[in-house]
Amino acid sequence: MPRSTEIRPKSVKSRTRRTVIKAGGTLLLSVLSAVPSLARAAQIVAVRVWPADDYTRVTLENDTDLKVSHFTVKDPERLVVDIEGLDLNSTLKDLVAKVQPNDPYIKQVRVGQNRPHVVRLVFDLKEEVNPQVFTLAPAGNYKYRLIFDLYPVQPPDPIAQLIQKGDWFKELPDDKQAAIPGSGPDAKADAKADTKNAPKGSDIDSALAKADPKADAKNSKALQLTRMITIALDPGHGGEDPGAIGSGGSYEKHVVLSIAKRLKKKIEDQPNMRVMLTRDDDFFVPLGVRVQKARKVQADLFISIHADAFVRPTASGSSVFALSEKGASSTAARWLASKENEADLIGGVNIKSHDKQLASVLLDLSTTAQISDSLRVGNTVLNEIGGINRLHKGEVEQAGFAVLKAPDIPSILIETAFISNPDEEARLNDDAYQDKMATAIMSGIRKYFARNPPLSKNRLT
């Protein structure tokens, strides 16, 4: 009996073949999806090292968020970091050469592929540190960042640093220095050995009064005037935070540090003034820490130095700002304060270690008296600056600048010129203009204290 043969139309065969192929493709995708992590490893796009006396920061910039673990090892001191989802590349290897011999805290760094997709960094340290390891989401022109902040276990004391420079008692004759414990002709030699009992501004006034029992109401003011005036200079931005960038490639952080150093020298030349820089090199200082530093040395004045920028290159002129309790004095002032307050976002602050209590105190204790004094010194400085550059506005403006919120220190922010204006950018890079700007600010400082002598006063602690 002949076998029955079924003949299917060609279109039916074609549909059947497509169905089989589609089913096979779906199965293949299912199998592949079950295979763990076939995706490419993360890529390190830049490495940076920012050494400073305060701390050393190491930054790994990458194209995705990274999972990281770390631990410390003693004898000798080391920090070991494992980064998952990462393969060693040439950019990461460059980190070894980025660590300089004069780095205060890192001897060297070793980089290797610890196991597949896990890179290990070993920091050989010069002393024991408190490491802070954290990640930052993309901000400004940066992609994801992995940050290693290496803080010394015993952080430098700003007052001790002033004493070591030998100028803490330079305003007092030897006979009156003797009335203050730890002072006198040998104070400079002994400063390093014992800085815990360093006198505060009000302590100096008290000791002076005791040193001269004949002092009465008539000459008490003269005695108070002999105490040293302490000025905190705050060069804006730094480190990871470049500030504004001019069309010619100038970085605000470099320009303002140069001006601040010139001003520092002029202040040190005064017989009754000393100065503290919140940063003396290219490293990042959080806004709240800048204020903390000024308060630790019981500064009589805080000056933050910046270079302005705007979307239009025609904007020009110098400005002075003070804090406002009731909102900004203009839309431009509000915009500028918002931009400057983003420094912590760009510079990179470890949110977990951020001192929320400090932020609250700085906000709550900003007083009307502080703002009044700030406006007074701001107007004096503004008048002097107007002699070397046109003013963007002829009055001190006000806004909620975070860096001006020390409750007990008159504080101003100076925008020395517009770095976004090509002509003013050139001036900001000119040594002669920088020196004139520093001289004008110095003149304003002297005139302010001549009219408002720094009498002894209680400090908030």
Side-chain angles (χ1 to χ4, degrees):
M1 185 175 179
R3 183 179 296 174
S4 172
T5 303
E6 180 183 2
I7 301 175
R8 294 185 182 182
K10 188 177 288 185
S11 60
V12 173
K13 288 183 178 180
S14 178
R15 283 199 303 271
T16 302
R17 189 180 300 111
R18 285 199 299 269
T19 301
V20 172
I21 291 173
K22 184 176 180 181
T26 303
L27 179 62
L28 179 62
L29 288 173
S30 299
V31 172
L32 289 177
S33 64
V35 177
S37 187
L38 291 178
R40 67 174 181 83
Q43 294 295 311
I44 299 296
V45 298
V47 294
R48 296 180 289 274
V49 180
W50 308 101
D53 289 340
D54 293 32
Y55 73 111
T56 289
R57 166 170 289 191
V58 178
T59 301
L60 306 186
E61 189 177 356
N62 49 88
D63 60 358
T64 186
D65 201 8
L66 295 172
K67 185 178 179 182
V68 62
S69 59
H70 71 280
F71 58 92
T72 57
V73 182
K74 300 191 73 64
D75 300 324
E77 297 287 342
R78 283 157 288 164
L79 170 66
V80 181
V81 180
D82 286 337
I83 309 172
E84 297 183 23
L86 191 63
D87 288 334
L88 196 59
N89 67 2
S90 59
T91 304
L92 192 50
K93 289 179 182 177
D94 288 344
L95 180 61
V96 175
K98 296 278 186 179
V99 177
Q100 299 301 308
N102 62 349
D103 189 295
Y105 304 110
I106 304 176
K107 285 182 182 177
Q108 64 176 0
V109 60
R110 291 171 280 148
V111 183
Q113 192 77 48
N114 184 253
R115 54 188 185 275
H117 304 309
V118 177
V119 167
R120 171 165 286 188
L121 310 180
V122 179
F123 295 94
D124 296 313
L125 304 171
K126 294 181 178 179
E127 64 178 78
E128 186 181 2
V129 300
N130 285 326
Q132 292 187 14
V133 180
F134 57 100
T135 58
L136 296 170
N141 295 322
Y142 293 123
K143 299 180 183 294
Y144 291 91
R145 284 174 289 171
L146 176 58
I147 303 289
F148 310 100
D149 283 348
L150 308 182
Y151 289 92
V153 171
Q154 295 183 337
D157 183 350
I159 291 180
Q161 289 174 332
L162 283 174
I163 293 174
Q164 288 171 17
K165 291 174 184 175
D167 60 3
W168 188 269
F169 300 109
K170 73 180 183 183
E171 81 281 19
L172 302 179
D174 290 348
D175 60 334
K176 290 184 178 178
Q177 287 184 30
I180 305 173
S183 64
D186 297 327
K188 187 172 181 178
D190 297 337
K192 245 183 177 179
D194 184 11
T195 60
K196 291 184 179 179
N197 297 320
K200 302 177 181 178
S202 57
D203 296 334
I204 293 177
D205 295 331
S206 175
L208 282 172
K210 291 177 182 177
D212 186 358
K214 296 180 181 179
D216 54 22
K218 185 175 180 180
N219 61 23
S220 63
K221 185 175 181 180
L223 282 173
Q224 289 170 328
L225 285 174
T226 61
R227 82 165 174 86
M228 185 69 82
I229 296 170
T230 303
I231 297 172
L233 295 183
D234 173 48
H237 310 283
E240 289 287 292
D241 176 20
I245 302 175
S247 60
S250 304
Y251 281 24
E252 178 184 2
K253 65 176 182 176
H254 296 319
V255 169
V256 299
L257 180 59
S258 180
I259 294 173
K261 285 184 174 180
R262 291 175 187 273
L263 178 55
K264 176 179 182 288
K265 178 65 171 62
K266 295 180 187 298
I267 293 172
E268 288 173 336
D269 288 341
Q270 305 302 309
N272 65 329
M273 293 184 183
R274 60 182 164 233
V275 62
M276 182 273 295
L277 288 175
T278 59
R279 69 176 183 95
D280 58 5
D281 211 332
D282 186 13
F283 62 96
F284 175 68
V285 183
L287 298 175
V289 174
R290 295 169 189 258
V291 179
Q292 275 184 319
K293 286 187 170 188
R295 299 189 79 211
K296 280 183 179 179
V297 299
Q298 297 197 7
D300 297 287
L301 178 62
F302 178 93
I303 298 178
S304 192
I305 302 174
H306 292 256
D308 215 338
F310 194 59
V311 292
R312 290 196 301 270
T314 53
S316 64
S318 302
S319 306
V320 175
F321 294 84
L323 186 66
S324 171
E325 280 186 311
K326 302 176 181 178
S329 57
S330 69
T331 302
R334 184 183 302 109
W335 177 83
L336 181 64
S338 176
K339 181 171 71 72
E340 297 293 1
N341 290 346
E342 289 176 352
D344 281 356
L345 182 65
I346 305 298
V349 172
N350 186 2
I351 300 299
K352 292 181 181 178
S353 68
H354 189 60
D355 194 337
K356 294 182 180 178
Q357 183 178 5
L358 168 68
S360 174
V361 168
L362 295 182
L363 179 65
D364 296 340
L365 295 184
S366 297
T367 64
T368 302
Q370 185 261 31
I371 292 174
S372 177
D373 288 340
S374 300
L375 288 170
R376 192 175 292 116
V377 66
N379 277 305
T380 306
V381 171
L382 187 70
N383 289 336
E384 297 300 314
I385 292 176
I388 67 160
N389 192 31
R390 72 176 295 272
L391 298 178
H392 188 66
K393 272 204 171 181
E395 59 187 14
V396 177
E397 293 201 77
Q398 293 178 260
F401 292 90
V403 79
L404 300 183
K405 290 186 176 180
D408 48 352
I409 306 172
S411 303
I412 60 173
L413 184 146
I414 301 172
E415 296 285 358
T416 52
F418 275 82
I419 201 169
S420 56
N421 181 305
D423 291 336
E424 293 201 339
E425 179 186 10
R427 298 185 74 189
L428 284 168
N429 283 286
D430 179 65
D431 289 344
Y433 179 78
Q434 289 189 5
D435 199 64
K436 287 179 181 177
M437 178 59 66
T439 299
I441 298 172
M442 183 71 254
S443 179
I445 292 171
R446 291 183 62 185
K447 288 184 178 179
Y448 168 74
F449 282 114
R451 299 167 189 162
N452 305 274
L455 305 180
S456 178
K457 57 183 177 180
N458 293 324
R459 299 287 193 176
L460 294 171
T461 57

